[in-house]
Amino acid sequence: MSHDSTAAPEAAVRKLSGRRRKEIVAVLLFSGGPIFESSIPLSVFGIDRQDAGVPRYRLLVCAGEEGPLRTTGGLELTAPNGLEAISRAGTVVVPAWRSITSPPPEEALDALRRAHEEGARIVGLCTGAFVLAAAGLLDGRPATTHWMYAPTLAKRYPSVHVDPRELFVDDGDVLTSAGTAAGIDLCLHIVRTDHGNEAAGALARRLVVPPRRSGGQERYLDRSLPEEIGADPLAEVVAWALEHLHEQFDVETLAARAYMSRRTFDRRFRSLTGSAPLQWLITQRVLQAQRLLETSDYSVDEVAGRCGFRSPVALRGHFRRQLGSSPAAYRAAYRARRPQGEKQSDPDGSPPPAPPVLQQEQPVPFQTRRTAAAHAVGATASSLSDAGRPGAELYVAGRHSLPGQRSAP
């Protein structure tokens, strides 16, 4: 179930029907789909790399609806196959769906259901999970998608066990991934499952990407407020929480401000955001800590106080659980990647205090804080990806793993 899973319960995998072939991969494209996500399975499964030790797949590119298919950027594509070609595939990949609010074509959903019933492996990359969910293939199953869309997936399809923390989820005959780069992770995982570590490693070296990435989506999460909650009465409570993160309060405080019991508040909050209120609150405090570690010279103890943690120990524990690093190590890695000559500043853009004195910050308007949180997540993703980034020597033959890579369970 975890993103590093290499084995799935045998009971979850159906026997492939006689007319389907394991080596045939069908990629289902729709109009309005993002071209980058669409190109990932085409590149992984559609290029002959047998000279590099990668077993060959047979690729079928299929139109999920009448063409021509228009992608992002206004490009027009003509798929060589229609939905009928899916009947030969042992694996069917839905790279992405054009809109999480629009229902997919029923003909495409029927084709996916038939493929699954006949034992084909069904894969949804990023928002492709919404297509799988609309077909009923994720009912009662664990799944993931891009963290930004996970609350919507959980709300729209409550029978799906959405986990926004994972880069990808392998549930045997149905697999889903998070955003763009995680689609590459999942495709590599499929090659690893089919042909072993050496084949996946050879492909990763050709693509110049890590054979496996440790961790999950936690470091990229921004759970400030899903757009669809904006008109809900709880939005005011969430806005208040974001403006007062420097104060010590708990979920009971938020429930009281919403004039609800804790149990009712938990249920309403989860239904609207896809997250438990306590976990959301901790995530927001960690996001604020990241921002202060990146933009100020406050000590870790002072950062803990300014983010509403009851002690530096609490900050360190939650920070490490969510980001896999201590606050001090995170700051050091961030500064190591900062361009020379870039001056450190306080979150409001002013020079840092010397020495910094702990004082109550002025509340930040909700929309400003929400934008700042998103920017902080972007900086965090960049810094964590850059910090300790492996050089090209890690992708040459003979180097099959990355330092600190988590082993498969």
Side-chain angles (χ1 to χ4, degrees):
M1 183 185 303
S2 70
H3 83 280
D4 231 357
S5 174
T6 56
E10 294 183 2
V13 182
R14 293 179 172 85
K15 183 179 179 180
L16 199 63
S17 70
R19 61 177 175 172
R20 296 182 180 272
R21 295 292 179 266
K22 182 178 180 181
E23 70 276 8
I24 296 180
V25 177
V27 177
L28 190 57
L29 300 181
F30 297 96
S31 188
I35 191 168
F36 192 4
E37 283 82 350
S38 300
S39 68
I40 289 172
L42 303 185
S43 178
V44 171
F45 302 111
I47 297 178
D48 186 355
R49 298 186 176 92
Q50 293 181 88
D51 61 324
V54 181
R56 186 176 183 179
Y57 289 87
R58 290 180 56 195
L59 180 70
L60 299 176
V61 182
C62 307
E65 56 193 340
E66 291 296 324
L69 308 177
R70 292 176 176 82
T71 72
T72 51
L75 298 178
E76 288 192 355
L77 303 178
T78 301
N81 301 286
L83 288 171
E84 71 283 349
I86 292 179
S87 63
R88 292 180 279 153
T91 299
V92 182
V93 183
V94 183
W97 174 236
R98 58 174 167 259
S99 172
I100 61 174
T101 60
S102 301
E106 191 59 38
E107 295 82 359
L109 299 181
D110 287 340
L112 288 172
R113 294 184 190 109
R114 284 195 300 272
H116 182 249
E117 290 171 358
E118 294 176 0
R121 177 172 51 188
I122 312 297
V123 181
L125 307 182
C126 193
T127 53
F130 282 80
V131 180
L132 271 59
L137 302 183
L138 297 182
D139 291 350
R141 290 177 176 264
T144 193
T145 187
H146 192 293
W147 59 260
M148 187 167 61
Y149 305 121
T152 302
L153 183 64
K155 180 180 178 181
R156 187 163 299 159
Y157 302 100
S159 61
V160 180
H161 306 311
V162 180
D163 189 345
R165 300 168 300 176
E166 300 291 357
L167 292 176
F168 64 79
V169 171
D170 178 348
D171 195 42
D173 53 357
V174 177
L175 302 87
T176 51
S177 80
T180 303
I184 301 176
D185 294 321
L186 179 51
C187 288
L188 282 172
H189 171 75
I190 291 172
V191 174
R192 185 181 303 110
T193 300
D194 290 347
H195 302 292
N197 288 327
E198 289 191 12
L203 177 57
R205 289 192 293 275
R206 276 294 183 95
L207 298 176
V208 196
V209 297
R212 300 175 191 256
R213 283 197 296 162
S214 61
Q217 293 193 77
E218 294 97 331
R219 65 187 63 180
Y220 310 109
L221 289 175
D222 170 21
R223 296 181 180 172
S224 299
L225 193 65
E227 292 182 2
E228 59 196 52
I229 196 181
D232 192 273
L234 278 187
E236 183 178 346
V237 176
V238 173
W240 181 90
L242 292 172
E243 293 172 2
H244 293 79
L245 288 176
H246 58 282
E247 300 177 8
Q248 291 187 9
F249 60 86
D250 52 22
V251 178
E252 281 76 10
T253 302
L254 299 181
R257 292 190 66 87
Y259 301 101
M260 298 178 184
S261 67
R262 169 64 187 270
R263 184 174 181 179
T264 301
F265 181 79
D266 282 3
R267 184 175 64 253
R268 288 278 296 136
F269 193 96
R270 187 183 290 273
S271 69
L272 286 168
T273 69
S275 173
L278 179 58
Q279 184 57 51
W280 176 88
L281 182 58
I282 291 172
T283 298
Q284 294 308 312
R285 295 197 189 281
V286 170
L287 284 174
Q288 178 71 348
Q290 286 179 260
R291 180 168 173 252
L292 291 178
L293 290 167
E294 294 169 2
T295 60
S296 78
D297 285 327
Y298 297 132
S299 69
V300 173
D301 288 12
E302 289 169 325
V303 168
R306 288 175 175 267
C307 296
F309 288 103
R310 297 187 182 278
S311 70
V313 173
L315 167 61
R316 292 185 179 95
H318 290 301
F319 201 94
R320 183 175 292 279
R321 276 190 290 274
Q322 291 201 21
L323 299 172
S325 171
S326 69
Y330 174 84
R331 170 178 273 170
Y334 181 84
R335 291 184 175 181
R337 297 299 304 179
R338 193 176 54 194
Q340 289 185 353
E342 182 180 329
K343 294 183 179 180
Q344 189 78 356
S345 64
D346 207 19
D348 62 1
S350 60
V357 178
L358 185 61
Q359 57 185 7
Q360 181 167 320
E361 295 177 335
Q362 293 298 317
V364 180
F366 169 61
Q367 290 299 331
T368 302
R369 176 174 289 278
R370 181 179 177 185
T371 303
H375 289 170
V377 173
T380 301
S382 174
S383 63
L384 285 174
S385 297
D386 289 341
R389 173 178 287 169
E393 66 274 6
L394 291 183
Y395 302 101
V396 300
R399 300 292 294 275
H400 298 296
S401 61
L402 298 178
Q405 176 178 304
R406 191 170 70 189
S407 300

